[in-house]
Amino acid sequence: MRKLVMIMIAAMTMSVASAKVVRTNIKVNGYQPKAKIEAAAQSVKGVKKALYTEKNKILTVLYNNEQTAVNKIKAAVNKVDKKPAQAIRKVQRVEKAEKDGKAGKDGKSSPDKMKKDENEKDNTDRDKGK
């Protein structure tokens, strides 16, 4: 009986020993605050600790390699660490307006002027038979 207990204890310690905590560094975009990036990494099951260094835009992660993988952590962080889509669209609109000479006095695009020009273009196309 005693021998059986010893064998069971040895088997249990071997299975626990194979679970390994790994440390890795992940390069991130850095569009979001430190707390948000760290929270996204820690939301993945198996991540023990995440520390984001804003200066280098590096996320250092400690995780259990049996419960998760680096690509899962990267996916979770990338889902959060994006430029806000609205800001991207606004920049594109302003750049287009500046290029076309439709920017207002303050450098911002004028939506009314842009709509008016688009309507005139549509009318011109219809007159030409396009």
Side-chain angles (χ1 to χ4, degrees):
M1 182 70 170
R2 188 173 182 191
K3 211 176 202 182
L4 181 63
V5 171
M6 294 299 281
I7 291 172
M8 289 178 67
I9 291 173
M12 288 172 58
T13 53
M14 291 175 90
S15 65
V16 171
S18 66
K20 186 177 176 188
V21 176
V22 179
R23 177 181 174 184
T24 189
N25 292 328
I26 300 171
K27 181 81 173 154
V28 296
N29 296 321
Y31 296 124
Q32 299 299 323
K34 178 180 179 175
K36 204 167 190 178
I37 292 172
E38 289 176 349
Q42 290 175 342
S43 69
V44 178
K45 183 180 177 184
V47 173
K48 305 295 182 197
K49 188 174 183 179
L51 179 65
Y52 175 59
T53 308
E54 293 180 65
K55 182 180 176 184
N56 305 344
K57 296 184 180 180
I58 301 277
L59 179 68
T60 303
V61 183
L62 293 172
Y63 67 96
N64 184 327
N65 69 344
E66 285 190 346
Q67 292 180 341
T68 192
V70 177
N71 59 353
K72 289 181 183 178
I73 300 168
K74 283 182 182 179
V77 172
N78 287 336
K79 207 180 266 190
V80 171
D81 190 29
K82 296 179 186 175
K83 279 187 182 178
Q86 186 177 15
I88 293 171
R89 285 192 298 269
K90 183 177 181 181
V91 169
Q92 290 171 342
R93 236 185 5 250
V94 170
E95 287 175 350
K96 183 178 186 299
E98 287 174 352
K99 180 181 173 187
D100 296 340
K102 298 174 189 170
K105 292 179 185 175
D106 57 357
K108 295 181 181 175
S109 62
S110 169
D112 296 332
K113 190 172 184 181
M114 291 173 70
K115 284 182 183 176
K116 183 179 176 185
D117 290 344
E118 288 174 7
N119 289 338
E120 287 176 7
K121 183 180 176 189
D122 291 341
N123 290 338
T124 307
D125 290 343
R126 266 190 253 132
D127 292 342
K128 290 181 181 177
K130 288 186 178 179

